[in-house]
Amino acid sequence: MNPEKDLLIYNTLTRKREKFEPLNAPFVGMYVCGPTVYNDVHLGNCRTFTFFDVVYRYLSYLGYKVRYVRNITDVGHLTGDSDEGDDKISKQARLEQIEPMEVVQRYTNGFHDVMLELGNIPPSIEPTATGHLLEQIEMVQKILKNGFAYESNGSVYFDVVKYNESHNYGKLSGRNIEEQLEGQGTRKLDGQEEKKNSVDFAIWKNADPSHLMQWDTQWGKGFPGWHLECSVMSTKYLGDEFDIHGGGMDLQFPHHECEIAQAVATTGKEPVKYWLHSNMLTMNGTKMSKSLGNVIMPDELFTGNSELLTESYSPMVFRFFMFQTHYRSTMDITDDALKAAKKGYFKLMNGIKNAKNLEYPSESELNSELSIEEKQESDIQKSITSVFRGINDDFNTAKSIAALFNLVKKINMLHAGQLDFSQISKESFDKLKSTLIDFTEKVLGIKEELPQGEKMLKEMIATLVEMYKEAKEARNYEKVDYLRSKAKEIGIVFKDMKDRIDWAYEE
């Protein structure tokens, strides 16, 4: 098995799984559309960014040198998600009666905090739209020069109909431009009369005097269109052609479709080789909506402060939960599913803890002469192969986790003495241990979660174990029961082994 040569990715552009072959191996360029920082990050965002964190981790694990760019949208994203309405950040600034950049800073900080809690690695570069205004103006000028845009009342619009004469606008999302044009005669939306065609979109938007964020240009005072920033920042840091562009499925149209058109209209080159999109999430089988009262924010999930939950679920439990569903499938959040994920997480962590405490014994320490069993060796190798086969199947983390639990089973058998070290080779044990630990922690980013005062907690657990051991030896069963109940209160259980007393997280 050669993991780096076996990776298959579902490409939204071609609608099929393709072998991953970077344009300039070992270098990989990946761009992911980041948040518009006018509000707290929601769980749908968390799912998208955590999935691409695994993509980043796995490609790095395979030895690729990955440049991961994830932007911050701090201007230009209008409330209509198109060319209508107020700027989302300006609107929030008016509501809170503060500067737009105060809104940006507050929610950017909050976004970073949640990403850190979930164990996501920061991107290589995190550019902002306002930090790249000059480059955006330059791209508008190039698109105008190349004949794919026109000026109208101080705004500049991308001419989708003209572009579609020589290119295929709609190829990513599967939209048909003729069908989109059918309703243009009845459009009455504010500002749409400036367009030649209803499908055209603003790459630079004229600003009225009340607009809080605007800049002087040759077309007058205005601000960049939402779609423009990603075309500018992705190609600036990754080149005119790069490997991976990702985001949520809701961005396929119009955002990503417009990105492709802008890039091609500027350079004549197809910007992205592989397009990846994560699916939406639901709550108890229904799309999350404020009007339905079924929205849960990350802090509510982590604290349990929601009527939809019976208890709190930590960031690592939620991370584990997310990987139980393939990224292209809808992820349904239910209290029961989160409880099951919590049990699974602690089962995995117990296996990791046992693995870290196990070492292959020396020849003199073996309980019996080496008598390697072919079936045990084969089982271990099959499970290791399945771990990588899962993630190589379009990042199917659920399949990989199922295989990891097979490795946990072997580790636990060795730990409990149900499987003797003499039955497997040192090479197989080392591969078993390293795959379980490294894949869980380095690729999936799932780690043991302990509250502040980790050292103190572990010392307390060690003391409880010692007291329990002494009570067992003295046959003080009343104290034994008392210590078991106290241990359970902090989420651990004692394990009575043949030759020792151990502990584990309660599953």
Side-chain angles (χ1 to χ4, degrees), residues 18-147:
E18 299 176 2
K19 186 177 180 180
F20 180 64
E21 295 177 324
L23 294 166
N24 298 294
F27 301 100
V28 172
M30 181 170 79
Y31 185 90
V32 174
C33 289
T36 300
V37 284
Y38 72 101
N39 209 336
D40 291 316
V41 62
H42 57 73
L43 293 182
N45 297 141
C46 292
R47 184 193 189 189
T48 296
F49 301 133
T50 303
F51 163 65
F52 284 104
D53 180 65
V54 169
V55 175
Y56 182 29
R57 285 171 176 273
Y58 186 53
L59 293 177
S60 300
Y61 178 83
L62 294 179
Y64 291 114
K65 299 181 185 303
V66 186
R67 177 178 287 177
Y68 174 20
V69 182
R70 185 185 68 206
N71 73 299
I72 294 288
T73 297
D74 57 357
V75 70
H77 193 169
L78 304 185
T79 51
D81 286 346
S82 184
D83 297 331
E84 316 89 45
D86 196 0
D87 184 288
K88 292 186 176 185
I89 289 161
S90 294
K91 182 179 179 181
Q92 191 65 30
R94 285 195 186 92
L95 286 172
E96 299 187 32
Q97 295 186 322
I98 58 176
E99 283 290 327
M101 283 300 118
E102 287 185 71
V103 173
V104 167
Q105 192 65 54
R106 175 187 301 170
Y107 293 114
T108 299
N109 290 345
F111 169 68
H112 288 155
D113 289 344
V114 173
M115 291 299 101
L116 188 62
E117 285 183 291
L118 287 168
N120 292 334
I121 299 171
S124 314
I125 304 173
E126 193 174 53
T128 64
T130 54
H132 295 76
L133 287 165
L134 290 177
E135 292 92 335
Q136 290 184 78
I137 291 169
E138 286 175 6
M139 181 170 278
V140 172
Q141 291 169 337
K142 288 177 183 176
I143 295 172
L144 277 167
K145 182 180 177 182
N146 291 341

Side-chain angles (χ1 to χ4, degrees), residues 15 37 42 47 74 105 131 141 195 218 247 254 267 317 335 369 407 417 425 435 447 451 456:
R15 291 163 181 74
V37 284
H42 57 73
R47 184 193 189 189
D74 57 357
Q105 192 65 54
Q141 291 169 337
K195 300 181 183 182
Q218 65 195 74
T267 67
V317 167
D335 198 48
E369 288 186 15
L407 298 182
S425 66
T435 301
K447 296 183 179 179
M456 185 184 299

Side-chain angles (χ1 to χ4, degrees), residues 153-200:
N153 295 330
S155 293
V156 180
Y157 290 97
F158 191 95
D159 193 335
V160 172
V161 173
K162 175 70 180 298
Y163 174 82
N164 201 58
E165 291 172 2
S166 53
H167 303 87
N168 181 8
Y169 180 84
K171 62 183 177 182
L172 180 69
S173 60
R175 302 289 182 109
N176 184 298
I177 190 172
E178 285 75 20
E179 291 176 1
Q180 295 174 57
L181 285 168
E182 282 178 4
Q184 80 168 0
T186 60
R187 56 185 163 84
K188 299 263 184 198
L189 295 172
D190 179 43
Q192 298 296 294
E193 65 277 0
E194 294 180 348
K195 300 181 183 182
K196 291 181 181 177
N197 308 285
S198 62
V199 292
D200 297 346

Side-chain angles (χ1 to χ4, degrees), residues 152-369:
S152 177
N153 295 330
S155 293
V156 180
Y157 290 97
F158 191 95
D159 193 335
V160 172
V161 173
K162 175 70 180 298
Y163 174 82
N164 201 58
E165 291 172 2
S166 53
H167 303 87
N168 181 8
Y169 180 84
K171 62 183 177 182
L172 180 69
S173 60
R175 302 289 182 109
N176 184 298
I177 190 172
E178 285 75 20
E179 291 176 1
Q180 295 174 57
L181 285 168
E182 282 178 4
Q184 80 168 0
T186 60
R187 56 185 163 84
K188 299 263 184 198
L189 295 172
D190 179 43
Q192 298 296 294
E193 65 277 0
E194 294 180 348
K195 300 181 183 182
K196 291 181 181 177
N197 308 285
S198 62
V199 292
D200 297 346
F201 59 91
I203 51 179
W204 191 267
K205 187 75 172 162
N206 178 43
D208 62 52
S210 66
H211 199 89
L212 294 179
M213 304 174 80
Q214 53 181 285
W215 293 266
D216 277 321
T217 68
Q218 65 195 74
W219 312 291
K221 289 183 180 292
F223 55 91
W226 172 39
H227 314 303
L228 189 67
E229 62 178 275
C230 289
S231 291
V232 165
M233 292 185 281
S234 61
T235 54
K236 173 171 181 173
Y237 295 110
L238 300 175
D240 292 344
E241 299 170 286
F242 57 96
D243 299 294
I244 296 172
H245 194 313
M249 280 189 177
D250 59 314
L251 296 180
Q252 280 185 45
F253 187 87
H255 190 55
H256 289 163
E257 200 73 72
C258 295
E259 277 191 60
I260 293 174
Q262 289 166 161
V264 172
T266 303
T267 67
K269 299 175 183 177
E270 188 70 38
V272 180
K273 187 172 183 181
Y274 305 97
W275 284 90
L276 278 70
H277 293 93
S278 62
N279 210 329
M280 61 182 283
L281 52 82
T282 56
M283 183 75 200
N284 296 318
T286 305
K287 184 178 179 180
M288 280 194 179
S289 167
K290 287 183 180 180
S291 62
L292 295 174
N294 67 346
V295 173
I296 297 179
M297 300 302 286
D299 66 309
E300 293 173 327
L301 184 73
F302 302 156
T303 61
N305 186 26
S306 169
E307 293 180 358
L308 298 168
L309 303 173
T310 58
E311 59 182 284
S312 62
Y313 298 99
S314 69
M316 278 296 125
V317 167
F318 185 61
R319 188 180 182 97
F320 178 87
F321 170 77
M322 287 189 280
F323 297 154
Q324 300 291 295
T325 304
H326 188 262
Y327 78 95
R328 286 194 293 111
S329 299
T330 302
M331 186 179 84
D332 189 37
I333 300 176
T334 69
D335 198 48
D336 287 342
L338 287 166
K339 283 180 181 176
K342 191 173 185 177
K343 289 184 115 181
Y345 166 74
F346 283 119
K347 184 176 181 180
L348 182 58
M349 288 302 98
N350 284 329
I352 295 286
K353 182 176 76 72
N354 290 339
K356 289 180 176 180
N357 289 332
L358 286 176
E359 295 293 340
Y360 196 85
S362 63
E363 195 172 326
S364 61
E365 293 172 326
L366 286 169
N367 294 329
S368 58
E369 288 186 15

